[in-house]
Short mmCIF file of all heavy atoms in Angstrom, two decimals:
data_model
loop_
_atom_site.label_atom_id
_atom_site.label_comp_id
_atom_site.label_asym_id
_atom_site.label_seq_id
_atom_site.Cartn_x
_atom_site.Cartn_y
_atom_site.Cartn_z
N ALA L 86 12.65 -24.38 12.78
CA ALA L 86 13.42 -23.32 12.11
C ALA L 86 12.78 -22.97 10.78
O ALA L 86 12.68 -21.81 10.41
CB ALA L 86 14.86 -23.78 11.90
N ARG L 87 12.33 -23.98 10.07
CA ARG L 87 11.71 -23.75 8.76
C ARG L 87 10.45 -22.90 8.92
O ARG L 87 10.21 -22.00 8.14
CB ARG L 87 11.38 -25.11 8.13
CG ARG L 87 10.66 -25.05 6.80
CD ARG L 87 11.64 -24.58 5.69
NE ARG L 87 10.99 -24.54 4.40
CZ ARG L 87 11.23 -25.39 3.43
NH1 ARG L 87 12.09 -26.37 3.60
NH2 ARG L 87 10.62 -25.28 2.28
N ASN L 88 9.68 -23.20 9.98
CA ASN L 88 8.45 -22.43 10.20
C ASN L 88 8.75 -20.97 10.52
O ASN L 88 7.90 -20.11 10.35
CB ASN L 88 7.62 -23.06 11.32
CG ASN L 88 7.02 -24.37 10.86
OD1 ASN L 88 6.92 -24.62 9.65
ND2 ASN L 88 6.65 -25.23 11.79
N LYS L 89 9.96 -20.73 11.01
CA LYS L 89 10.35 -19.34 11.29
C LYS L 89 11.01 -18.72 10.07
O LYS L 89 11.48 -17.60 10.12
CB LYS L 89 11.32 -19.31 12.47
CG LYS L 89 10.65 -19.57 13.81
CD LYS L 89 11.68 -19.54 14.92
CE LYS L 89 11.04 -19.90 16.25
NZ LYS L 89 12.05 -20.28 17.24
N GLY L 90 11.11 -19.49 9.00
CA GLY L 90 11.67 -18.95 7.77
C GLY L 90 13.18 -18.99 7.73
O GLY L 90 13.81 -18.25 6.98
N VAL L 91 13.77 -19.86 8.55
CA VAL L 91 15.23 -19.97 8.54
C VAL L 91 15.62 -21.23 7.78
O VAL L 91 15.19 -22.33 8.14
CB VAL L 91 15.80 -20.03 9.97
CG1 VAL L 91 17.32 -20.22 9.94
CG2 VAL L 91 15.44 -18.77 10.72
N VAL L 92 16.39 -21.06 6.74
CA VAL L 92 16.86 -22.22 5.99
C VAL L 92 18.38 -22.20 5.91
O VAL L 92 19.01 -21.18 6.16
CB VAL L 92 16.25 -22.27 4.55
CG1 VAL L 92 14.75 -22.43 4.58
CG2 VAL L 92 16.63 -21.03 3.77
N ARG L 93 18.95 -23.33 5.60
CA ARG L 93 20.41 -23.44 5.52
C ARG L 93 20.80 -23.58 4.06
O ARG L 93 20.19 -24.37 3.33
CB ARG L 93 20.85 -24.68 6.30
CG ARG L 93 22.34 -24.87 6.39
CD ARG L 93 22.65 -25.91 7.48
NE ARG L 93 21.97 -27.18 7.20
CZ ARG L 93 22.56 -28.24 6.67
NH1 ARG L 93 23.83 -28.19 6.35
NH2 ARG L 93 21.90 -29.37 6.47
N LEU L 94 21.78 -22.80 3.65
CA LEU L 94 22.26 -22.88 2.28
C LEU L 94 23.20 -24.07 2.19
O LEU L 94 24.24 -24.08 2.82
CB LEU L 94 23.02 -21.58 1.98
CG LEU L 94 22.87 -20.92 0.63
CD1 LEU L 94 21.41 -20.68 0.30
CD2 LEU L 94 23.65 -19.62 0.60
N VAL L 95 22.85 -25.09 1.42
CA VAL L 95 23.74 -26.25 1.31
C VAL L 95 24.52 -26.24 0.00
O VAL L 95 25.48 -26.98 -0.17
CB VAL L 95 23.00 -27.60 1.50
CG1 VAL L 95 22.48 -27.74 2.90
CG2 VAL L 95 21.86 -27.74 0.50
N LYS L 96 24.08 -25.42 -0.94
CA LYS L 96 24.89 -25.18 -2.14
C LYS L 96 24.74 -23.72 -2.50
O LYS L 96 23.63 -23.24 -2.71
CB LYS L 96 24.44 -26.05 -3.31
CG LYS L 96 25.37 -25.93 -4.51
CD LYS L 96 24.64 -25.87 -5.83
CE LYS L 96 25.52 -25.43 -6.97
NZ LYS L 96 25.89 -24.00 -6.94
N ASP L 97 25.86 -23.02 -2.53
CA ASP L 97 25.81 -21.59 -2.87
C ASP L 97 26.01 -21.43 -4.38
O ASP L 97 26.31 -22.38 -5.10
CB ASP L 97 26.90 -20.83 -2.09
CG ASP L 97 26.55 -19.35 -1.94
OD1 ASP L 97 25.58 -18.89 -2.59
OD2 ASP L 97 27.26 -18.66 -1.20
N LEU L 98 25.84 -20.19 -4.82
CA LEU L 98 26.00 -19.88 -6.25
C LEU L 98 27.47 -20.02 -6.66
O LEU L 98 28.37 -19.80 -5.85
CB LEU L 98 25.54 -18.45 -6.51
CG LEU L 98 24.09 -18.13 -6.19
CD1 LEU L 98 23.83 -16.63 -6.28
CD2 LEU L 98 23.16 -18.90 -7.14
N ASP L 99 27.68 -20.34 -7.93
CA ASP L 99 29.04 -20.36 -8.47
C ASP L 99 29.39 -19.01 -9.07
O ASP L 99 30.56 -18.67 -9.20
CB ASP L 99 29.15 -21.42 -9.58
CG ASP L 99 28.91 -22.82 -9.04
OD1 ASP L 99 29.32 -23.08 -7.89
OD2 ASP L 99 28.31 -23.64 -9.75
N ILE L 100 28.36 -18.25 -9.46
CA ILE L 100 28.57 -16.99 -10.18
C ILE L 100 28.28 -15.80 -9.26
O ILE L 100 27.22 -15.77 -8.63
CB ILE L 100 27.64 -16.93 -11.42
CG1 ILE L 100 27.91 -18.12 -12.35
CG2 ILE L 100 27.78 -15.61 -12.17
CD1 ILE L 100 26.93 -18.25 -13.51
N PRO L 101 29.20 -14.82 -9.16
CA PRO L 101 28.92 -13.62 -8.35
C PRO L 101 27.75 -12.84 -8.96
O PRO L 101 27.62 -12.79 -10.18
CB PRO L 101 30.21 -12.79 -8.46
CG PRO L 101 31.24 -13.68 -9.07
CD PRO L 101 30.52 -14.75 -9.83
N ILE L 102 26.91 -12.26 -8.12
CA ILE L 102 25.72 -11.60 -8.67
C ILE L 102 25.75 -10.08 -8.51
O ILE L 102 24.81 -9.40 -8.91
CB ILE L 102 24.41 -12.16 -8.05
CG1 ILE L 102 24.31 -11.82 -6.56
CG2 ILE L 102 24.30 -13.65 -8.29
CD1 ILE L 102 22.91 -12.08 -6.01
N ASP L 103 26.84 -9.52 -7.95
CA ASP L 103 26.88 -8.06 -7.80
C ASP L 103 26.82 -7.40 -9.18
O ASP L 103 27.53 -7.80 -10.10
CB ASP L 103 28.12 -7.61 -7.02
CG ASP L 103 29.40 -8.12 -7.65
OD1 ASP L 103 29.55 -9.35 -7.72
OD2 ASP L 103 30.21 -7.30 -8.10
N GLY L 104 25.92 -6.44 -9.28
CA GLY L 104 25.76 -5.71 -10.54
C GLY L 104 24.98 -6.46 -11.61
O GLY L 104 24.80 -5.95 -12.71
N ARG L 105 24.52 -7.70 -11.30
CA ARG L 105 23.80 -8.49 -12.31
C ARG L 105 22.28 -8.31 -12.19
O ARG L 105 21.75 -8.04 -11.11
CB ARG L 105 24.10 -10.00 -12.12
CG ARG L 105 25.54 -10.39 -12.29
CD ARG L 105 26.04 -10.17 -13.72
NE ARG L 105 25.22 -10.84 -14.73
CZ ARG L 105 25.45 -12.07 -15.19
NH1 ARG L 105 26.48 -12.76 -14.72
NH2 ARG L 105 24.67 -12.59 -16.12
N HIS L 106 21.60 -8.49 -13.30
CA HIS L 106 20.14 -8.52 -13.30
C HIS L 106 19.72 -9.98 -13.07
O HIS L 106 19.95 -10.84 -13.93
CB HIS L 106 19.59 -7.98 -14.61
CG HIS L 106 19.85 -6.52 -14.79
ND1 HIS L 106 19.12 -5.56 -14.10
CD2 HIS L 106 20.78 -5.85 -15.53
CE1 HIS L 106 19.58 -4.36 -14.43
NE2 HIS L 106 20.59 -4.50 -15.28
N VAL L 107 19.13 -10.22 -11.91
CA VAL L 107 18.81 -11.59 -11.49
C VAL L 107 17.33 -11.88 -11.65
O VAL L 107 16.47 -11.08 -11.25
CB VAL L 107 19.22 -11.80 -10.01
CG1 VAL L 107 18.72 -13.15 -9.48
CG2 VAL L 107 20.74 -11.70 -9.85
N VAL L 108 17.04 -13.03 -12.24
CA VAL L 108 15.67 -13.55 -12.25
C VAL L 108 15.69 -14.78 -11.37
O VAL L 108 16.32 -15.80 -11.71
CB VAL L 108 15.19 -13.92 -13.67
CG1 VAL L 108 13.75 -14.42 -13.62
CG2 VAL L 108 15.33 -12.74 -14.63
N PHE L 109 15.05 -14.68 -10.21
CA PHE L 109 15.02 -15.81 -9.29
C PHE L 109 13.80 -16.68 -9.62
O PHE L 109 12.67 -16.20 -9.61
CB PHE L 109 14.96 -15.32 -7.83
CG PHE L 109 15.06 -16.47 -6.87
CD1 PHE L 109 16.27 -17.10 -6.66
CD2 PHE L 109 13.93 -16.94 -6.22
CE1 PHE L 109 16.36 -18.19 -5.81
CE2 PHE L 109 14.02 -18.03 -5.37
CZ PHE L 109 15.24 -18.64 -5.16
N VAL L 110 14.06 -17.94 -9.91
CA VAL L 110 13.00 -18.82 -10.41
C VAL L 110 12.64 -19.88 -9.37
O VAL L 110 13.51 -20.53 -8.80
CB VAL L 110 13.45 -19.52 -11.73
CG1 VAL L 110 12.30 -20.32 -12.32
CG2 VAL L 110 13.94 -18.48 -12.74
N GLU L 111 11.35 -19.99 -9.10
CA GLU L 111 10.83 -20.98 -8.16
C GLU L 111 9.76 -21.83 -8.85
O GLU L 111 9.10 -21.36 -9.78
CB GLU L 111 10.17 -20.28 -6.95
CG GLU L 111 11.07 -20.10 -5.76
CD GLU L 111 11.33 -21.38 -4.97
OE1 GLU L 111 11.14 -22.47 -5.52
OE2 GLU L 111 11.71 -21.26 -3.80
N ASP L 112 9.60 -23.05 -8.40
CA ASP L 112 8.47 -23.85 -8.89
C ASP L 112 7.19 -23.39 -8.18
O ASP L 112 6.17 -23.16 -8.81
CB ASP L 112 8.71 -25.35 -8.74
CG ASP L 112 9.13 -25.75 -7.33
OD1 ASP L 112 9.59 -24.87 -6.56
OD2 ASP L 112 9.00 -26.93 -6.98
N VAL L 113 7.28 -23.24 -6.85
CA VAL L 113 6.08 -22.84 -6.11
C VAL L 113 6.45 -21.91 -4.95
O VAL L 113 7.46 -22.10 -4.29
CB VAL L 113 5.30 -24.08 -5.60
CG1 VAL L 113 6.15 -24.94 -4.68
CG2 VAL L 113 4.00 -23.68 -4.92
N VAL L 114 5.63 -20.90 -4.75
CA VAL L 114 5.73 -20.06 -3.55
C VAL L 114 4.50 -20.37 -2.72
O VAL L 114 3.37 -20.22 -3.19
CB VAL L 114 5.80 -18.56 -3.89
CG1 VAL L 114 5.89 -17.74 -2.61
CG2 VAL L 114 6.99 -18.27 -4.79
N ASP L 115 4.77 -20.83 -1.50
CA ASP L 115 3.69 -21.29 -0.63
C ASP L 115 3.54 -20.28 0.51
O ASP L 115 2.90 -19.24 0.36
CB ASP L 115 4.10 -22.69 -0.14
CG ASP L 115 2.95 -23.51 0.39
OD1 ASP L 115 1.91 -22.93 0.70
OD2 ASP L 115 3.08 -24.73 0.51
N THR L 116 4.17 -20.53 1.65
CA THR L 116 4.13 -19.55 2.74
C THR L 116 4.94 -18.29 2.36
O THR L 116 4.68 -17.22 2.88
CB THR L 116 4.74 -20.12 4.02
OG1 THR L 116 6.12 -20.44 3.78
CG2 THR L 116 4.01 -21.37 4.50
N GLY L 117 5.92 -18.47 1.51
CA GLY L 117 6.79 -17.35 1.14
C GLY L 117 8.03 -17.27 2.03
O GLY L 117 8.92 -16.45 1.80
N LEU L 118 8.12 -18.14 3.03
CA LEU L 118 9.24 -18.06 3.98
C LEU L 118 10.58 -18.38 3.33
O LEU L 118 11.57 -17.70 3.57
CB LEU L 118 8.98 -19.01 5.16
CG LEU L 118 7.81 -18.62 6.09
CD1 LEU L 118 7.55 -19.70 7.12
CD2 LEU L 118 8.09 -17.29 6.79
N THR L 119 10.60 -19.41 2.50
CA THR L 119 11.86 -19.78 1.83
C THR L 119 12.31 -18.65 0.91
O THR L 119 13.47 -18.22 0.94
CB THR L 119 11.66 -21.06 0.99
OG1 THR L 119 11.11 -22.09 1.81
CG2 THR L 119 12.96 -21.54 0.39
N LEU L 120 11.38 -18.17 0.12
CA LEU L 120 11.70 -17.10 -0.83
C LEU L 120 12.19 -15.85 -0.10
O LEU L 120 13.17 -15.22 -0.50
CB LEU L 120 10.46 -16.79 -1.67
CG LEU L 120 10.63 -15.68 -2.71
CD1 LEU L 120 11.71 -16.03 -3.71
CD2 LEU L 120 9.31 -15.43 -3.43
N ASN L 121 11.51 -15.50 0.98
CA ASN L 121 11.89 -14.31 1.74
C ASN L 121 13.33 -14.44 2.25
O ASN L 121 14.12 -13.51 2.13
CB ASN L 121 10.93 -14.14 2.92
CG ASN L 121 11.21 -12.89 3.70
OD1 ASN L 121 11.26 -11.80 3.15
ND2 ASN L 121 11.44 -13.03 5.00
N TYR L 122 13.65 -15.60 2.78
CA TYR L 122 15.00 -15.82 3.31
C TYR L 122 16.04 -15.71 2.20
O TYR L 122 17.06 -15.03 2.34
CB TYR L 122 15.08 -17.20 3.97
CG TYR L 122 16.42 -17.47 4.58
CD1 TYR L 122 16.72 -17.08 5.88
CD2 TYR L 122 17.42 -18.11 3.84
CE1 TYR L 122 17.97 -17.32 6.43
CE2 TYR L 122 18.67 -18.35 4.38
CZ TYR L 122 18.93 -17.96 5.68
OH TYR L 122 20.18 -18.19 6.22
N ILE L 123 15.75 -16.36 1.08
CA ILE L 123 16.73 -16.36 -0.03
C ILE L 123 16.87 -14.96 -0.62
O ILE L 123 17.99 -14.51 -0.91
CB ILE L 123 16.32 -17.39 -1.11
CG1 ILE L 123 16.44 -18.81 -0.54
CG2 ILE L 123 17.19 -17.24 -2.35
CD1 ILE L 123 15.91 -19.89 -1.46
N LEU L 124 15.76 -14.26 -0.78
CA LEU L 124 15.85 -12.91 -1.36
C LEU L 124 16.67 -11.99 -0.48
O LEU L 124 17.47 -11.19 -0.97
CB LEU L 124 14.44 -12.33 -1.57
CG LEU L 124 13.64 -12.89 -2.75
CD1 LEU L 124 12.29 -12.20 -2.85
CD2 LEU L 124 14.41 -12.75 -4.06
N GLN L 125 16.47 -12.10 0.83
CA GLN L 125 17.26 -11.26 1.75
C GLN L 125 18.75 -11.55 1.57
O GLN L 125 19.58 -10.65 1.53
CB GLN L 125 16.86 -11.53 3.19
CG GLN L 125 15.56 -10.84 3.58
CD GLN L 125 15.23 -11.06 5.05
OE1 GLN L 125 16.08 -11.41 5.84
NE2 GLN L 125 13.97 -10.86 5.41
N ASN L 126 19.06 -12.84 1.45
CA ASN L 126 20.45 -13.25 1.28
C ASN L 126 21.02 -12.71 -0.04
O ASN L 126 22.11 -12.13 -0.07
CB ASN L 126 20.51 -14.79 1.31
CG ASN L 126 21.92 -15.32 1.14
OD1 ASN L 126 22.57 -15.03 0.14
ND2 ASN L 126 22.38 -16.11 2.11
N LEU L 127 20.25 -12.86 -1.10
CA LEU L 127 20.74 -12.43 -2.43
C LEU L 127 20.87 -10.91 -2.52
O LEU L 127 21.80 -10.39 -3.14
CB LEU L 127 19.83 -12.96 -3.53
CG LEU L 127 19.79 -14.49 -3.69
CD1 LEU L 127 18.86 -14.87 -4.84
CD2 LEU L 127 21.18 -15.07 -3.92
N LYS L 128 19.93 -10.20 -1.89
CA LYS L 128 19.97 -8.72 -1.98
C LYS L 128 21.22 -8.15 -1.32
O LYS L 128 21.72 -7.10 -1.72
CB LYS L 128 18.71 -8.13 -1.35
CG LYS L 128 17.52 -8.18 -2.31
CD LYS L 128 16.25 -7.69 -1.66
CE LYS L 128 15.06 -7.86 -2.60
NZ LYS L 128 13.78 -7.64 -1.91
N MET L 129 21.73 -8.85 -0.29
CA MET L 129 22.95 -8.38 0.39
C MET L 129 24.15 -8.42 -0.55
O MET L 129 25.16 -7.77 -0.31
CB MET L 129 23.22 -9.24 1.62
CG MET L 129 22.31 -8.88 2.78
SD MET L 129 22.86 -9.62 4.33
CE MET L 129 22.57 -11.35 4.03
N ARG L 130 24.03 -9.20 -1.63
CA ARG L 130 25.16 -9.33 -2.58
C ARG L 130 25.11 -8.26 -3.68
O ARG L 130 25.87 -8.31 -4.62
CB ARG L 130 25.14 -10.73 -3.20
CG ARG L 130 25.09 -11.84 -2.16
CD ARG L 130 25.11 -13.19 -2.81
NE ARG L 130 24.69 -14.24 -1.89
CZ ARG L 130 24.91 -15.52 -2.08
NH1 ARG L 130 25.56 -15.93 -3.16
NH2 ARG L 130 24.48 -16.42 -1.22
N GLN L 131 24.16 -7.34 -3.51
CA GLN L 131 24.06 -6.15 -4.37
C GLN L 131 23.93 -6.43 -5.87
O GLN L 131 24.74 -5.94 -6.68
CB GLN L 131 25.23 -5.21 -4.10
CG GLN L 131 25.24 -4.78 -2.64
CD GLN L 131 26.29 -3.75 -2.33
OE1 GLN L 131 27.44 -3.89 -2.73
NE2 GLN L 131 25.90 -2.73 -1.60
N PRO L 132 22.90 -7.19 -6.24
CA PRO L 132 22.61 -7.33 -7.68
C PRO L 132 22.06 -6.00 -8.21
O PRO L 132 21.55 -5.19 -7.44
CB PRO L 132 21.54 -8.42 -7.72
CG PRO L 132 20.87 -8.33 -6.39
CD PRO L 132 21.92 -7.89 -5.40
N ALA L 133 22.13 -5.80 -9.53
CA ALA L 133 21.57 -4.57 -10.12
C ALA L 133 20.05 -4.59 -9.95
O ALA L 133 19.43 -3.54 -9.73
CB ALA L 133 21.94 -4.49 -11.59
N SER L 134 19.46 -5.76 -10.08
CA SER L 134 18.01 -5.91 -9.86
C SER L 134 17.74 -7.37 -9.58
O SER L 134 18.54 -8.25 -9.92
CB SER L 134 17.22 -5.47 -11.11
OG SER L 134 17.43 -6.39 -12.17
#
Side-chain angles (χ1 to χ4, degrees):
R87 177 73 179 252
N88 289 340
K89 287 179 184 162
V91 177
V92 296
R93 184 166 57 101
L94 220 54
V95 293
K96 187 221 167 288
D97 204 351
L98 300 170
D99 296 325
I100 302 173
I102 66 167
D103 55 298
R105 298 295 305 268
H106 293 284
V107 172
V108 182
F109 185 74
V110 186
E111 265 285 21
D112 51 341
V113 60
V114 180
D115 199 342
T116 62
L118 292 174
T119 307
L120 179 60
N121 183 54
Y122 182 87
I123 293 173
L124 285 181
Q125 282 184 19
N126 180 302
L127 295 181
K128 280 176 185 169
M129 283 193 291
R130 307 181 196 197
Q131 301 185 313
S134 69

